[in-house]
Amino acid sequence: MKSVTVTSIRPRSRADATPAARAAGGKIYTPYKYWFYLPAAVLYGVLFVVPTFASFYYSLTRWTLFDSKFIGLDNFRLFFSEPQLVKGFTNTLIYAFVTSGSKVVLGLLLAVLLTSRIVGRAYLRSVVFFPVLASTIGVAIMFTVLMNPERGLINGALGLIGIDGPGWLTDPKYALMSVALVDVWKGVGLATLIYIAGIVSIPREYMEAARVDGAGAWETFRRIVLPLSRPATVTVIILSLIGGLRSFELIWVMTRGGPGFTSDVIASVIYKQYQAGFYGLSTAGNVVLFLVVTAIVLPLSWFLNRKEVDM
Amino acid sequence: MSTAELVNHKPGRNYLLSAVAILASIVVFVIPFAFIVLTAVKDRQQSALLDFSWPHQLRIVQNFVEVVQARDYMLVIAYINSTILTVASVTGMVVLAAMAGFVLQRRRSRWNPFINFLVLSGLIIPPAVVPTIWVLQSLGLFRTMSGLILIEIAFGLSFCILLFRAFVATIPRELDEAAIIDGAGPLRLFFRVIFPLLRSVIVTVVVVQSVAVFNDFVNPLYFLPGDQNATVQLTLYNFQSQFSTQYNLLFMNILLITIPPLIMFLFFNRQIVAGLTSGAVKG
């Protein structure tokens, strides 16, 4: 984005902008009308804010959309006592932290690689990034086929080098991690892109100074690139945690939460309970997801944004 | 030598590293996509082997026709639906978010912290599904395309407002003042002076959000169920069970659905990158 140099003096605030107008009675003409917010505010309020607040009430009820019966915290008690629902809760946390952590590490490594002088850089950047834009459902179906235990390409390739590949999506031990792997495959391009933007914005004088001081590649990375790409790291962590905690599509298409309920996450539990007609319970799941996301993301973003490194 | 190139420090190109990187990228990223294309043009028996091989016979046209004709041209209907959904909701997002972002940046008031809080909430908070259905139902918009369009706009607004607010800050206020002195009212100022200047960020928003809406699966699944007005992602999801023995058709479907984002990527790579990395650099 271009920055524009302002040549004339800009009023700091309304108060000192037009003293004459203030003296004239406090009414200042402004072309920035509040009703510009109105269409956006109505849509957002009706379709997002109202349902969010309504969810707190309806999570405490047995609900059929037409009438509701207040049952207190029963839905939440059920949510944390049924083993399959608890499994969804812990799986959500595992899935979010695994995908987020892998995206940070791989994204940073790929970004350093893709900003260095290697052959085919433009090709590599495109090919790493394209899965971000591909249809999630398409990717999910493709990997379901590739991860087929008997005929799949992945186990076929592993068989060639003498490894007996597991049933990626059919073995309860691996199902969740296999989906997480696909999530990383699809999302690492975005993390890489954000890191590339961060690295490219580091002033070149810093690198030159480091080199004059005799720093090697590792030292430069450790002392300059890593601390100065902190804003990028914060963005990647926050974005991928939010995405990971809310993720639904990959898991639903690849395993339906199975085998059994071993790869269920909160979002898939919400859908299953909704399909089964337990609207109150489904909404309670939504409230739990809301609490988990805010309880993790808000303190974390506050903590990460606190210590900024000055460029 | 650019800044970034100094990171690696080596004066020459590292050919060994390049070779390893390119080889790895082929295995990890190119082969899966090649697998989609190859499977999509195979015949039924060969595609059932799920192997990575050259098709015995190229059935590009036959498979294409079969997929398009499946279930009474459902894919065609789905394409039309997805196009309507994408165009309408992205247009709505751009206009509404530009208006809101413009006033949010220009007019400092005590409401601003609250509005910023709402905008950020929209990015973080997962939408409450059943209560949203309840609201839509009471408005008579559940299971309708217009309902889904409004949902997509509402959920996409936050991201767009942030981009517009940041961009409006780079347009000098003196321009507004000149327009007002020339007699422009609020609407005229916004639509005739500011809106045209937002062009580059509008392109970014349009490209990023249309890919997002086109690829969206969750919202149509919840708010527009049923076969009649399915979107392309839902069709693919439904085909998964229907074509469980016809992998060639399933993969042809994947291929057809991946083409629009691919075209966007080829033409608007720069804008997509600008939109997605806007939070990465401080300031």
Side-chain angles (χ1 to χ4, degrees):
Chain A
M1 271 183 241
K2 284 178 288 188
S3 71
V4 178
T5 320
V6 180
T7 46
S8 61
I9 298 160
R10 178 185 301 180
R12 283 280 167 269
S13 71
R14 261 170 34 170
D16 59 273
T18 46
R22 196 173 35 166
K27 288 254 176 186
I28 305 159
Y29 173 76
T30 169
Y32 314 122
K33 301 295 186 195
Y34 279 133
W35 59 259
F36 269 52
Y37 288 129
L38 197 65
V42 168
L43 261 189
Y44 189 75
V46 171
L47 295 178
F48 185 76
V49 179
V50 169
T52 301
F53 279 102
S55 71
F56 290 111
Y57 171 72
Y58 283 114
S59 64
L60 304 173
T61 64
R62 193 174 289 130
W63 190 23
T64 64
L65 278 189
F66 300 105
D67 66 324
S68 60
K69 184 166 167 285
F70 190 82
I71 54 166
L73 290 171
D74 277 7
N75 284 327
F76 292 97
R77 227 166 271 141
L78 191 64
F79 203 95
F80 287 105
S81 60
E82 282 285 311
Q84 60 192 80
L85 303 183
V86 177
K87 188 80 181 166
F89 180 77
T90 49
N91 276 348
T92 305
L93 298 179
I94 297 171
Y95 185 89
F97 284 109
V98 167
T99 52
S100 178
S102 326
K103 282 177 195 172
V104 168
V105 174
L106 287 175
L108 181 57
L109 290 179
L110 281 172
V112 170
L113 179 72
L114 296 184
T115 47
S116 67
R117 289 171 62 82
I118 59 169
V119 185
R121 208 165 63 177
Y123 151 79
L124 286 169
R125 283 189 189 185
S126 317
V127 97
V128 169
F129 179 64
F130 182 66
V132 174
L133 300 179
S135 152
T136 312
I137 309 302
V139 168
I141 293 176
M142 174 186 81
F143 268 99
T144 314
V145 168
L146 292 180
M147 286 176 168
N148 185 304
E150 291 95 31
R151 293 175 292 164
L153 203 56
I154 295 180
N155 279 0
L158 287 178
L160 286 183
I161 52 171
I163 300 173
D164 204 11
W168 298 95
L169 299 169
T170 49
D171 188 331
K173 280 201 301 277
Y174 299 107
L176 187 71
M177 284 304 114
S178 305
V179 182
L181 191 71
V182 178
D183 192 314
V184 173
W185 182 88
K186 189 175 187 314
V188 76
L190 183 56
T192 309
L193 197 69
I194 292 172
Y195 269 119
I196 289 177
I199 291 176
V200 167
S201 73
I202 298 173
R204 58 178 295 174
E205 291 80 11
Y206 292 16
M207 311 277 186
E208 280 166 7
R211 205 158 64 156
V212 170
D213 288 348
W218 167 248
E219 282 277 278
T220 315
F221 172 76
R222 170 80 185 71
R223 306 276 172 200
I224 295 185
V225 176
L226 202 55
L228 288 180
S229 54
R230 192 188 166 90
T233 308
V234 173
T235 311
V236 171
I237 292 178
I238 299 293
L239 275 185
S240 54
L241 265 185
I242 294 175
L245 291 169
R246 290 162 62 158
S247 69
F248 168 72
E249 295 162 309
L250 279 179
I251 291 172
W252 187 248
V253 175
M254 292 182 74
T255 67
R256 307 265 143 106
F261 43 83
T262 46
S263 65
D264 255 329
V265 289
I266 298 179
S268 68
V269 168
I270 293 172
Y271 185 64
K272 281 181 177 173
Q273 300 306 329
Y274 161 72
Q275 274 190 316
F278 298 122
Y279 295 147
L281 189 57
S282 169
T283 309
N286 244 312
V287 172
V288 172
L289 184 58
F290 166 81
L291 294 176
V292 169
V293 172
T294 44
I296 292 176
V297 171
L298 286 189
L300 194 69
S301 72
W302 174 79
F303 174 76
L304 291 175
N305 283 317
R306 202 174 40 122
K307 305 191 286 180
E308 287 276 8
V309 179
D310 281 321
M311 279 203 186
Chain B
M1 209 188 294
S2 81
T3 312
E5 283 158 356
L6 283 159
V7 174
N8 246 31
H9 193 282
K10 295 238 169 68
R13 282 167 183 255
N14 192 331
Y15 288 103
L16 181 67
L17 194 63
S18 310
V20 172
I22 289 173
L23 199 68
S25 78
I26 288 174
V27 172
V28 177
F29 291 105
V30 178
I31 287 186
F33 283 111
F35 179 74
I36 294 180
V37 178
L38 287 177
T39 311
V41 298
K42 284 177 183 173
D43 59 38
R44 187 171 164 177
Q45 282 82 16
Q46 201 195 355
S47 70
L49 297 174
L50 307 183
D51 61 347
F52 190 77
S53 60
W54 192 254
H56 296 320
Q57 48 178 149
L58 288 174
R59 290 171 54 94
I60 304 175
V61 180
Q62 293 100 308
N63 285 352
F64 176 79
V65 171
E66 264 188 78
V67 165
V68 169
Q69 285 179 338
R71 298 177 73 181
D72 290 338
Y73 294 93
M74 189 153 137
L75 190 62
V76 179
I77 297 169
Y79 247 98
I80 296 171
N81 282 333
S82 275
T83 310
I84 295 172
L85 174 68
T86 308
V87 171
S89 56
V90 171
T91 312
M93 271 182 230
V94 166
V95 175
L96 299 193
M99 286 170 75
F102 170 63
V103 178
L104 187 61
Q105 200 281 324
R106 284 293 198 249
R107 186 166 180 176
R108 307 278 162 199
S109 77
R110 65 196 131 107
W111 293 101
N112 275 24
F114 175 66
I115 295 167
N116 286 328
F117 166 77
L118 279 182
V119 170
L120 287 180
S121 316
L123 287 181
I124 296 172
I125 298 175
V129 179
V130 190
T132 311
I133 291 176
W134 169 68
V135 169
L136 284 175
Q137 186 117 57
S138 48
L139 295 172
L141 290 172
F142 184 48
R143 289 173 192 271
T144 65
M145 181 53 86
S146 24
L148 184 60
I149 291 171
L150 295 179
I151 288 282
E152 295 285 1
I153 297 176
F155 292 174
L157 273 176
S158 289
F159 175 77
C160 303
I161 289 178
L162 285 181
L163 284 187
F164 279 119
R165 191 187 61 180
F167 195 83
V168 169
T170 67
I171 300 175
R173 266 169 200 263
E174 287 69 29
L175 220 57
D176 304 13
E177 286 155 16
I180 293 161
I181 290 167
D182 287 347
L187 274 180
R188 217 178 155 81
L189 165 67
F190 177 71
F191 283 105
R192 303 300 292 272
V193 180
I194 302 296
F195 202 72
L197 291 173
L198 295 175
R199 216 180 65 119
S200 70
V201 74
I202 288 174
V203 174
T204 302
V205 167
V206 167
V207 174
V208 171
Q209 292 292 22
S210 48
V211 172
V213 173
F214 187 84
N215 279 340
D216 187 19
F217 169 68
V218 179
N219 292 323
L221 180 71
Y222 276 120
F223 305 118
L224 195 63
D227 276 354
Q228 268 322 295
N229 36 20
T231 63
V232 285
Q233 308 298 329
L234 275 183
T235 330
L236 181 54
Y237 173 69
N238 294 335
F239 278 9
Q240 190 197 8
S241 43
Q242 195 205 346
F243 288 159
S244 55
T245 54
Q246 288 169 284
Y247 286 100
N248 51 347
L249 299 190
L250 188 62
F251 276 74
M252 178 56 89
N253 197 343
I254 297 179
L255 189 62
L256 291 179
I257 281 169
T258 316
I259 286 173
L262 181 64
I263 293 172
M264 282 298 207
F265 174 65
L266 292 178
F267 284 98
F268 298 104
N269 194 3
R270 207 165 49 84
Q271 283 83 0
I272 294 176
V273 170
L276 294 178
T277 57
S278 51
V281 186
K282 207 179 89 179

mmCIF file of all heavy atoms in Angstrom, chain B residues 27-54:
data_model
loop_
_atom_site.group_PDB
_atom_site.id
_atom_site.type_symbol
_atom_site.label_atom_id
_atom_site.label_comp_id
_atom_site.label_asym_id
_atom_site.label_seq_id
_atom_site.Cartn_x
_atom_site.Cartn_y
_atom_site.Cartn_z
ATOM 1 N N VAL B 27 7.167 -33.695 -4.749
ATOM 2 C CA VAL B 27 6.585 -34.828 -4.035
ATOM 3 C C VAL B 27 5.400 -34.383 -3.178
ATOM 4 O O VAL B 27 4.335 -34.992 -3.176
ATOM 5 C CB VAL B 27 7.659 -35.513 -3.152
ATOM 6 C CG1 VAL B 27 7.018 -36.560 -2.253
ATOM 7 C CG2 VAL B 27 8.723 -36.134 -4.025
ATOM 8 N N VAL B 28 5.586 -33.276 -2.453
ATOM 9 C CA VAL B 28 4.576 -32.902 -1.459
ATOM 10 C C VAL B 28 3.395 -32.172 -2.083
ATOM 11 O O VAL B 28 2.253 -32.378 -1.680
ATOM 12 C CB VAL B 28 5.222 -32.035 -0.354
ATOM 13 C CG1 VAL B 28 4.182 -31.581 0.649
ATOM 14 C CG2 VAL B 28 6.306 -32.816 0.344
ATOM 15 N N PHE B 29 3.645 -31.293 -3.060
ATOM 16 C CA PHE B 29 2.557 -30.455 -3.554
ATOM 17 C C PHE B 29 2.122 -30.770 -4.982
ATOM 18 O O PHE B 29 0.934 -30.716 -5.283
ATOM 19 C CB PHE B 29 2.941 -28.979 -3.453
ATOM 20 C CG PHE B 29 3.037 -28.485 -2.049
ATOM 21 C CD1 PHE B 29 4.273 -28.252 -1.464
ATOM 22 C CD2 PHE B 29 1.900 -28.279 -1.293
ATOM 23 C CE1 PHE B 29 4.361 -27.803 -0.153
ATOM 24 C CE2 PHE B 29 1.980 -27.843 0.013
ATOM 25 C CZ PHE B 29 3.209 -27.602 0.582
ATOM 26 N N VAL B 30 3.055 -31.090 -5.860
ATOM 27 C CA VAL B 30 2.664 -31.252 -7.260
ATOM 28 C C VAL B 30 1.999 -32.604 -7.494
ATOM 29 O O VAL B 30 0.971 -32.688 -8.173
ATOM 30 C CB VAL B 30 3.879 -31.071 -8.195
ATOM 31 C CG1 VAL B 30 3.477 -31.299 -9.635
ATOM 32 C CG2 VAL B 30 4.464 -29.689 -8.026
ATOM 33 N N ILE B 31 2.559 -33.663 -6.908
ATOM 34 C CA ILE B 31 1.996 -34.990 -7.147
ATOM 35 C C ILE B 31 0.524 -35.085 -6.719
ATOM 36 O O ILE B 31 -0.290 -35.599 -7.483
ATOM 37 C CB ILE B 31 2.872 -36.090 -6.486
ATOM 38 C CG1 ILE B 31 4.150 -36.244 -7.310
ATOM 39 C CG2 ILE B 31 2.134 -37.414 -6.381
ATOM 40 C CD1 ILE B 31 5.052 -37.362 -6.889
ATOM 41 N N PRO B 32 0.128 -34.569 -5.535
ATOM 42 C CA PRO B 32 -1.296 -34.635 -5.203
ATOM 43 C C PRO B 32 -2.183 -33.971 -6.255
ATOM 44 O O PRO B 32 -3.237 -34.519 -6.613
ATOM 45 C CB PRO B 32 -1.382 -33.902 -3.864
ATOM 46 C CG PRO B 32 -0.059 -34.112 -3.248
ATOM 47 C CD PRO B 32 0.919 -34.098 -4.377
ATOM 48 N N PHE B 33 -1.760 -32.795 -6.765
ATOM 49 C CA PHE B 33 -2.599 -32.146 -7.766
ATOM 50 C C PHE B 33 -2.568 -32.896 -9.091
ATOM 51 O O PHE B 33 -3.595 -33.016 -9.771
ATOM 52 C CB PHE B 33 -2.179 -30.686 -7.947
ATOM 53 C CG PHE B 33 -2.661 -29.812 -6.837
ATOM 54 C CD1 PHE B 33 -1.784 -29.252 -5.933
ATOM 55 C CD2 PHE B 33 -4.024 -29.575 -6.668
ATOM 56 C CE1 PHE B 33 -2.241 -28.459 -4.887
ATOM 57 C CE2 PHE B 33 -4.491 -28.795 -5.632
ATOM 58 C CZ PHE B 33 -3.592 -28.235 -4.734
ATOM 59 N N ALA B 34 -1.410 -33.429 -9.438
ATOM 60 C CA ALA B 34 -1.324 -34.236 -10.650
ATOM 61 C C ALA B 34 -2.204 -35.478 -10.513
ATOM 62 O O ALA B 34 -2.850 -35.908 -11.477
ATOM 63 C CB ALA B 34 0.127 -34.641 -10.911
ATOM 64 N N PHE B 35 -2.256 -36.019 -9.305
ATOM 65 C CA PHE B 35 -3.093 -37.185 -9.043
ATOM 66 C C PHE B 35 -4.561 -36.866 -9.325
ATOM 67 O O PHE B 35 -5.280 -37.677 -9.932
ATOM 68 C CB PHE B 35 -2.894 -37.613 -7.589
ATOM 69 C CG PHE B 35 -3.710 -38.798 -7.177
ATOM 70 C CD1 PHE B 35 -3.366 -40.071 -7.605
ATOM 71 C CD2 PHE B 35 -4.815 -38.639 -6.361
ATOM 72 C CE1 PHE B 35 -4.117 -41.175 -7.222
ATOM 73 C CE2 PHE B 35 -5.570 -39.734 -5.977
ATOM 74 C CZ PHE B 35 -5.226 -41.003 -6.409
ATOM 75 N N ILE B 36 -5.008 -35.669 -8.914
ATOM 76 C CA ILE B 36 -6.393 -35.264 -9.178
ATOM 77 C C ILE B 36 -6.641 -35.249 -10.684
ATOM 78 O O ILE B 36 -7.603 -35.837 -11.184
ATOM 79 C CB ILE B 36 -6.686 -33.855 -8.599
ATOM 80 C CG1 ILE B 36 -6.616 -33.890 -7.082
ATOM 81 C CG2 ILE B 36 -8.052 -33.357 -9.055
ATOM 82 C CD1 ILE B 36 -6.896 -32.553 -6.440
ATOM 83 N N VAL B 37 -5.723 -34.594 -11.415
ATOM 84 C CA VAL B 37 -5.932 -34.449 -12.856
ATOM 85 C C VAL B 37 -5.924 -35.806 -13.535
ATOM 86 O O VAL B 37 -6.815 -36.119 -14.347
ATOM 87 C CB VAL B 37 -4.831 -33.539 -13.458
ATOM 88 C CG1 VAL B 37 -5.007 -33.434 -14.959
ATOM 89 C CG2 VAL B 37 -4.880 -32.172 -12.816
ATOM 90 N N LEU B 38 -4.942 -36.656 -13.179
ATOM 91 C CA LEU B 38 -4.844 -37.964 -13.839
ATOM 92 C C LEU B 38 -6.076 -38.815 -13.543
ATOM 93 O O LEU B 38 -6.648 -39.428 -14.443
ATOM 94 C CB LEU B 38 -3.577 -38.693 -13.375
ATOM 95 C CG LEU B 38 -2.263 -38.145 -13.914
ATOM 96 C CD1 LEU B 38 -1.091 -38.915 -13.330
ATOM 97 C CD2 LEU B 38 -2.232 -38.220 -15.436
ATOM 98 N N THR B 39 -6.483 -38.854 -12.283
ATOM 99 C CA THR B 39 -7.637 -39.680 -11.929
ATOM 100 C C THR B 39 -8.898 -39.176 -12.617
ATOM 101 O O THR B 39 -9.760 -39.965 -13.003
ATOM 102 C CB THR B 39 -7.836 -39.707 -10.402
ATOM 103 O OG1 THR B 39 -6.585 -40.002 -9.795
ATOM 104 C CG2 THR B 39 -8.850 -40.743 -9.991
ATOM 105 N N ALA B 40 -8.976 -37.864 -12.781
ATOM 106 C CA ALA B 40 -10.182 -37.288 -13.373
ATOM 107 C C ALA B 40 -10.380 -37.698 -14.825
ATOM 108 O O ALA B 40 -11.504 -37.683 -15.317
ATOM 109 C CB ALA B 40 -10.129 -35.763 -13.265
ATOM 110 N N VAL B 41 -9.300 -38.073 -15.514
ATOM 111 C CA VAL B 41 -9.457 -38.412 -16.933
ATOM 112 C C VAL B 41 -9.323 -39.915 -17.180
ATOM 113 O O VAL B 41 -9.263 -40.343 -18.329
ATOM 114 C CB VAL B 41 -8.449 -37.648 -17.819
ATOM 115 C CG1 VAL B 41 -8.681 -36.152 -17.695
ATOM 116 C CG2 VAL B 41 -7.027 -37.994 -17.452
ATOM 117 N N LYS B 42 -9.280 -40.715 -16.111
ATOM 118 C CA LYS B 42 -9.190 -42.166 -16.294
ATOM 119 C C LYS B 42 -10.577 -42.762 -16.521
ATOM 120 O O LYS B 42 -11.589 -42.109 -16.298
ATOM 121 C CB LYS B 42 -8.577 -42.795 -15.037
ATOM 122 C CG LYS B 42 -7.088 -42.601 -14.909
ATOM 123 C CD LYS B 42 -6.582 -43.179 -13.605
ATOM 124 C CE LYS B 42 -5.090 -42.903 -13.464
ATOM 125 N NZ LYS B 42 -4.596 -43.308 -12.142
ATOM 126 N N ASP B 43 -10.588 -44.054 -16.931
ATOM 127 C CA ASP B 43 -11.877 -44.717 -16.947
ATOM 128 C C ASP B 43 -12.151 -45.293 -15.563
ATOM 129 O O ASP B 43 -11.307 -45.268 -14.677
ATOM 130 C CB ASP B 43 -11.933 -45.808 -18.023
ATOM 131 C CG ASP B 43 -10.866 -46.867 -17.826
ATOM 132 O OD1 ASP B 43 -10.604 -47.201 -16.660
ATOM 133 O OD2 ASP B 43 -10.292 -47.347 -18.816
ATOM 134 N N ARG B 44 -13.362 -45.808 -15.409
ATOM 135 C CA ARG B 44 -13.819 -46.174 -14.074
ATOM 136 C C ARG B 44 -12.958 -47.256 -13.420
ATOM 137 O O ARG B 44 -12.564 -47.123 -12.254
ATOM 138 C CB ARG B 44 -15.265 -46.648 -14.186
ATOM 139 C CG ARG B 44 -15.904 -46.886 -12.863
ATOM 140 C CD ARG B 44 -17.368 -47.124 -13.060
ATOM 141 N NE ARG B 44 -17.943 -47.720 -11.876
ATOM 142 C CZ ARG B 44 -19.240 -47.984 -11.763
ATOM 143 N NH1 ARG B 44 -20.050 -47.720 -12.768
ATOM 144 N NH2 ARG B 44 -19.708 -48.519 -10.668
ATOM 145 N N GLN B 45 -12.645 -48.332 -14.185
ATOM 146 C CA GLN B 45 -11.882 -49.435 -13.594
ATOM 147 C C GLN B 45 -10.511 -48.965 -13.139
ATOM 148 O O GLN B 45 -10.055 -49.276 -12.056
ATOM 149 C CB GLN B 45 -11.704 -50.594 -14.588
ATOM 150 C CG GLN B 45 -12.913 -51.470 -14.745
ATOM 151 C CD GLN B 45 -13.903 -50.847 -15.721
ATOM 152 O OE1 GLN B 45 -13.544 -49.933 -16.466
ATOM 153 N NE2 GLN B 45 -15.139 -51.320 -15.728
ATOM 154 N N GLN B 46 -9.856 -48.211 -14.018
ATOM 155 C CA GLN B 46 -8.494 -47.823 -13.675
ATOM 156 C C GLN B 46 -8.471 -46.836 -12.507
ATOM 157 O O GLN B 46 -7.581 -46.897 -11.659
ATOM 158 C CB GLN B 46 -7.798 -47.207 -14.894
ATOM 159 C CG GLN B 46 -6.285 -47.258 -14.758
ATOM 160 C CD GLN B 46 -5.574 -46.354 -15.736
ATOM 161 O OE1 GLN B 46 -6.206 -45.749 -16.595
ATOM 162 N NE2 GLN B 46 -4.274 -46.263 -15.600
ATOM 163 N N SER B 47 -9.467 -45.947 -12.444
ATOM 164 C CA SER B 47 -9.464 -44.963 -11.361
ATOM 165 C C SER B 47 -9.688 -45.643 -10.018
ATOM 166 O O SER B 47 -9.249 -45.151 -8.980
ATOM 167 C CB SER B 47 -10.534 -43.910 -11.594
ATOM 168 O OG SER B 47 -11.816 -44.458 -11.421
ATOM 169 N N ALA B 48 -10.352 -46.809 -10.024
ATOM 170 C CA ALA B 48 -10.619 -47.516 -8.767
ATOM 171 C C ALA B 48 -9.348 -48.080 -8.162
ATOM 172 O O ALA B 48 -9.316 -48.423 -6.980
ATOM 173 C CB ALA B 48 -11.626 -48.631 -8.993
ATOM 174 N N LEU B 49 -8.265 -48.190 -8.968
ATOM 175 C CA LEU B 49 -7.000 -48.694 -8.428
ATOM 176 C C LEU B 49 -6.332 -47.661 -7.518
ATOM 177 O O LEU B 49 -5.459 -48.000 -6.726
ATOM 178 C CB LEU B 49 -6.041 -49.043 -9.568
ATOM 179 C CG LEU B 49 -6.498 -50.151 -10.512
ATOM 180 C CD1 LEU B 49 -5.537 -50.292 -11.675
ATOM 181 C CD2 LEU B 49 -6.637 -51.462 -9.764
ATOM 182 N N LEU B 50 -6.740 -46.398 -7.670
ATOM 183 C CA LEU B 50 -6.204 -45.296 -6.847
ATOM 184 C C LEU B 50 -4.700 -45.136 -6.990
ATOM 185 O O LEU B 50 -4.049 -44.613 -6.095
ATOM 186 C CB LEU B 50 -6.539 -45.495 -5.366
ATOM 187 C CG LEU B 50 -7.979 -45.728 -4.970
ATOM 188 C CD1 LEU B 50 -8.084 -45.814 -3.458
ATOM 189 C CD2 LEU B 50 -8.873 -44.618 -5.472
ATOM 190 N N ASP B 51 -4.136 -45.599 -8.081
ATOM 191 C CA ASP B 51 -2.681 -45.492 -8.206
ATOM 192 C C ASP B 51 -2.298 -44.266 -9.031
ATOM 193 O O ASP B 51 -3.142 -43.610 -9.629
ATOM 194 C CB ASP B 51 -2.096 -46.763 -8.826
ATOM 195 C CG ASP B 51 -2.646 -47.003 -10.218
ATOM 196 O OD1 ASP B 51 -3.645 -46.339 -10.575
ATOM 197 O OD2 ASP B 51 -2.099 -47.842 -10.945
ATOM 198 N N PHE B 52 -1.012 -43.988 -9.013
ATOM 199 C CA PHE B 52 -0.489 -42.835 -9.732
ATOM 200 C C PHE B 52 0.078 -43.336 -11.051
ATOM 201 O O PHE B 52 1.220 -43.760 -11.126
ATOM 202 C CB PHE B 52 0.590 -42.159 -8.893
ATOM 203 C CG PHE B 52 1.013 -40.826 -9.432
ATOM 204 C CD1 PHE B 52 0.215 -39.706 -9.253
ATOM 205 C CD2 PHE B 52 2.210 -40.683 -10.103
ATOM 206 C CE1 PHE B 52 0.596 -38.481 -9.740
ATOM 207 C CE2 PHE B 52 2.597 -39.443 -10.600
ATOM 208 C CZ PHE B 52 1.787 -38.349 -10.415
ATOM 209 N N SER B 53 -0.756 -43.354 -12.087
ATOM 210 C CA SER B 53 -0.301 -43.903 -13.355
ATOM 211 C C SER B 53 -0.929 -43.119 -14.496
ATOM 212 O O SER B 53 -1.913 -42.405 -14.317
ATOM 213 C CB SER B 53 -0.705 -45.367 -13.454
ATOM 214 O OG SER B 53 -2.107 -45.470 -13.365
ATOM 215 N N TRP B 54 -0.344 -43.308 -15.686
ATOM 216 C CA TRP B 54 -0.884 -42.631 -16.858
ATOM 217 C C TRP B 54 -2.177 -43.325 -17.284
ATOM 218 O O TRP B 54 -2.235 -44.554 -17.290
ATOM 219 C CB TRP B 54 0.149 -42.658 -17.988
ATOM 220 C CG TRP B 54 -0.244 -41.743 -19.094
ATOM 221 C CD1 TRP B 54 -0.731 -42.101 -20.309
ATOM 222 C CD2 TRP B 54 -0.201 -40.327 -19.072
ATOM 223 N NE1 TRP B 54 -1.007 -40.981 -21.040
ATOM 224 C CE2 TRP B 54 -0.688 -39.876 -20.308
ATOM 225 C CE3 TRP B 54 0.192 -39.385 -18.113
ATOM 226 C CZ2 TRP B 54 -0.804 -38.519 -20.628
ATOM 227 C CZ3 TRP B 54 0.078 -38.035 -18.431
ATOM 228 C CH2 TRP B 54 -0.411 -37.621 -19.678
#
